[in-house]
Amino acid sequence: MYRLLHLIGPGGAGKTTIGAMLADKLGWQFIDLDERFMAAQGDISSFIQHHGYQCYARCNVELYTTLKSSLLQGTVLALSSGFMTYDQNLLPAYPALLRTIEHDPLTTLLLPSFALEACVEITVRRQLSRPWLSGNGPQEERKIRQRFPLLRALGCRQFESGIAADVLVEQIWKATCLSSPINSPAPG
């Protein structure tokens, strides 16, 4: 089994940017679950519009499970923004999967700010700039307001991502003990 660092958080928190930089620092691969989903299924907004959010969430969890089981090297994996907040009844194995991710010592939550209003403002602004999303401001605001307390309640390391990317990468690297020779990026 290879080392896996999960990056979780809302859209616009910097998971893709920080994940790629962190993977480069570690000599690991970087996987963005949204990018893999779009490569397999097409545009996320269109998929949700045609198949519904629950179908999207199920497909996303199944894609994650397939990716995780096929890892051949250390990996930084950016999860989709809602991944940790799907309906608990989505799939029978989903609640246990969430607990495993939440309590993994390498799981890292990124939030633009720990202050709700600042987080909402930054998240909505960034989400509205993404071409694969529908661009509905009130909907994006509702999502982050609903997800924020759920994300903050998670028992994993949490970082504000509104700082310089290289500084944040260094903080995560040190906090997860990946800077220690004992925790080298070799298979574990």
Side-chain angles (χ1 to χ4, degrees):
M1 178 102 173
Y2 290 87
R3 307 289 303 274
L4 176 60
L5 187 150
H6 295 93
L7 286 178
I8 58 177
K15 298 182 302 286
T16 301
T17 300
I18 299 303
M21 291 175 67
L22 189 57
D24 186 54
K25 183 175 185 71
L26 294 166
W28 293 8
Q29 72 174 332
F30 173 67
I31 296 175
D32 182 313
L33 192 59
D34 284 342
E35 287 178 6
R36 292 293 178 97
F37 185 92
M38 288 187 289
Q41 302 289 345
D43 181 78
I44 293 172
S45 292
S46 295
F47 186 92
I48 292 171
Q49 187 175 32
H50 289 101
H51 303 284
Y53 188 77
Q54 287 299 97
C55 181
Y56 160 74
R58 279 191 304 278
C59 289
N60 213 20
V61 171
E62 290 166 356
L63 175 60
Y64 165 84
T65 303
T66 300
L67 285 171
K68 184 177 177 188
S69 68
S70 67
L71 294 179
L72 298 176
Q73 65 185 50
T75 302
V76 176
L77 176 61
L79 294 178
S80 304
S81 61
F83 195 93
M84 299 299 288
T85 63
Y86 296 150
D87 183 326
Q88 290 289 307
N89 298 316
L90 181 68
L91 292 166
Y94 179 67
L97 175 64
L98 283 183
R99 285 189 301 277
T100 300
I101 294 171
E102 177 184 0
H103 298 293
D104 186 299
L106 296 183
T107 295
T108 303
L109 169 65
L110 299 180
L111 288 169
S113 174
F114 290 157
L116 173 62
E117 295 307 319
C119 185
V120 168
E121 187 275 321
I122 295 166
T123 301
V124 170
R125 179 172 32 86
R126 290 178 179 170
Q127 287 295 83
L128 292 179
S129 72
R130 295 180 182 227
W132 63 86
L133 295 176
S134 59
N136 182 326
Q139 178 183 355
E140 292 301 321
E141 183 173 340
R142 274 192 306 279
K143 274 197 286 191
I144 186 56
R145 287 190 184 281
Q146 290 170 348
R147 292 174 180 172
F148 183 85
L150 300 172
L151 293 169
R152 286 291 285 153
L154 292 172
C156 59
R157 284 188 173 83
Q158 301 186 11
F159 294 88
E160 284 186 304
S161 58
I163 61 174
D166 58 334
V167 173
L168 181 56
V169 167
E170 190 72 19
Q171 288 177 356
I172 294 167
W173 184 61
K174 287 179 178 175
T176 54
C177 301
L178 291 169
S179 59
S180 164
I182 294 170
N183 291 306
S184 66

